[in-house]
Amino acid sequence: MNMAKSETTKYRLAESIKQCMKTTSVDDITIRQIVENCGLTRQTFYRNFLDKYDLINWYFDKLLLKSFEHMGSGETIYEGLKRKFDYIQEERVFFAAAFRSDAQNSLKEHDFELILEFYSDLIRRKTGHAPDSEIRFLLEMYCQSSIYMTVKWVLSGMKSSSEELARMLVKAMPARLEKLFTELDVLS
């Protein structure tokens, strides 16, 4: 019960900072604004988080995991990417503010680790073994590029659709990865 209450409090604080992000840059948001916006106390805030960046990291982690659930529910890599980008669009205010803040560079690294693990697990499930060193190298390179392009897409205002971004990322896949994912019947 206490765990559920703590989680509810954390989500209240996250919703509050999301509201603040609509009008104020992350670096200018104060703890006072966050707690007054949701009717909680500073003491409650500090019982749950070290600072506003800790709150952002916690919420970003929840959103990333949710976006990967959306991605994992796709039958193909294209469908999975499209679902992930649809979800990011739904949470665009938060993702844009979080990616824009210089203090949040670890978010990109965390996204990298999650997406690399997603693809590695996909290969492991379909083939029965972990990717070899060459495939692992290509996956790391591809995942880093995918994250760079995702951040660029978010920060430039998501001018292209989630379908278009997913299609472009599938087209940009290194040939050896494309061949493997085609053989595994999970590409598009």
Side-chain angles (χ1 to χ4, degrees):
M1 170 106 181
N2 194 15
M3 183 66 126
K5 184 178 181 197
S6 172
E7 195 86 344
T8 301
T9 300
K10 288 179 178 183
Y11 275 109
R12 278 180 66 189
L13 291 164
E15 285 302 316
S16 177
I17 199 169
K18 276 174 55 178
Q19 288 302 312
C20 295
M21 286 173 164
K22 290 179 180 176
T23 57
T24 310
S25 76
V26 170
D27 297 329
D28 292 335
I29 294 171
T30 65
I31 302 302
R32 173 179 285 203
Q33 281 176 281
I34 297 168
V35 297
E36 284 179 357
N37 195 31
C38 65
L40 295 171
T41 64
R42 289 173 65 86
Q43 182 181 12
T44 300
F45 179 91
Y46 287 113
R47 239 191 332 263
N48 288 280
F49 299 105
L50 298 172
D51 56 26
K52 64 186 173 188
Y53 298 108
D54 190 32
L55 165 58
I56 289 169
N57 284 335
W58 175 84
Y59 190 61
F60 189 85
D61 196 48
K62 294 290 185 188
L63 292 180
L64 275 183
L65 291 172
K66 196 65 141 168
S67 77
F68 277 94
E69 285 175 23
H70 283 264
M71 190 173 179
S73 66
E75 299 204 1
T76 66
I77 289 172
Y78 165 79
E79 290 167 349
L81 287 169
K82 185 197 166 310
R83 287 184 181 165
K84 179 182 180 185
F85 300 140
D86 286 343
Y87 184 73
I88 289 173
Q89 278 184 315
E90 288 173 25
E91 292 283 349
R92 73 172 59 81
V93 170
F94 182 82
F95 277 99
F99 281 142
R100 204 172 285 120
S101 175
D102 289 336
Q104 299 305 308
N105 288 332
S106 65
L107 298 179
K108 294 170 197 155
E109 184 61 30
H110 188 62
D111 195 12
F112 168 74
E113 290 167 11
L114 284 174
I115 198 166
L116 179 62
E117 192 57 32
F118 174 82
Y119 285 124
S120 297
D121 282 349
L122 179 63
I123 292 169
R124 202 175 295 113
R125 276 195 326 271
K126 292 285 188 173
T127 66
H129 55 81
D132 64 31
S133 60
E134 183 181 342
I135 291 293
R136 179 83 181 175
F137 176 86
L138 292 172
L139 276 175
E140 287 182 26
M141 187 182 72
Y142 178 67
C143 292
Q144 286 289 1
S145 321
S146 295
I147 290 158
Y148 174 83
M149 296 311 292
T150 301
V151 170
K152 184 177 176 184
W153 176 68
V154 169
L155 295 183
S156 67
M158 301 178 182
K159 291 178 178 79
S160 56
S161 67
S162 56
E163 292 91 350
E164 192 176 352
L165 181 60
R167 189 176 46 73
M168 293 303 289
L169 286 178
V170 168
K171 283 178 89 171
M173 191 174 284
R176 176 113 193 268
L177 278 184
E178 182 181 1
K179 182 177 186 287
L180 173 63
F181 287 135
T182 300
E183 289 168 1
L184 298 177
D185 197 29
V186 294
L187 194 56
S188 54

